[in-house]
Amino acid sequence: MVIDLLPGLTWVLIALFSIAALTAALTVGVVVSDLLRHRATRVARHESIPAYYRHLVLAH
């Protein structure tokens, strides 16, 4: 009975890992995009990355 479930379970795991990989790639893309968008302002203020984003978080 367990052997009958393995082919179906394999496809579910492949789909799950594919969705997880896609989500991770999109998350990295959004973070990099956000960092690049704010870079000019941060460099103009001569702030480090943690100091700049700490200021953004505390400003809201």
Side-chain angles (χ1 to χ4, degrees):
M1 182 163 168
V2 174
I3 295 174
D4 292 338
L5 295 176
L6 287 178
L9 182 62
T10 302
W11 288 110
V12 169
L13 289 176
I14 289 172
L16 181 67
F17 285 122
S18 298
I19 291 170
L22 179 63
T23 302
L26 289 174
T27 301
V28 168
V30 167
V31 169
V32 168
S33 171
D34 194 46
L35 287 173
L36 291 176
R37 184 178 44 175
H38 292 285
R39 185 181 188 281
T41 305
R42 183 182 59 80
V43 170
R45 292 182 185 178
H46 301 288
E47 289 183 306
S48 67
I49 292 173
Y52 178 77
Y53 286 102
R54 188 177 316 116
H55 173 74
L56 275 180
V57 169
L58 295 176
H60 289 102

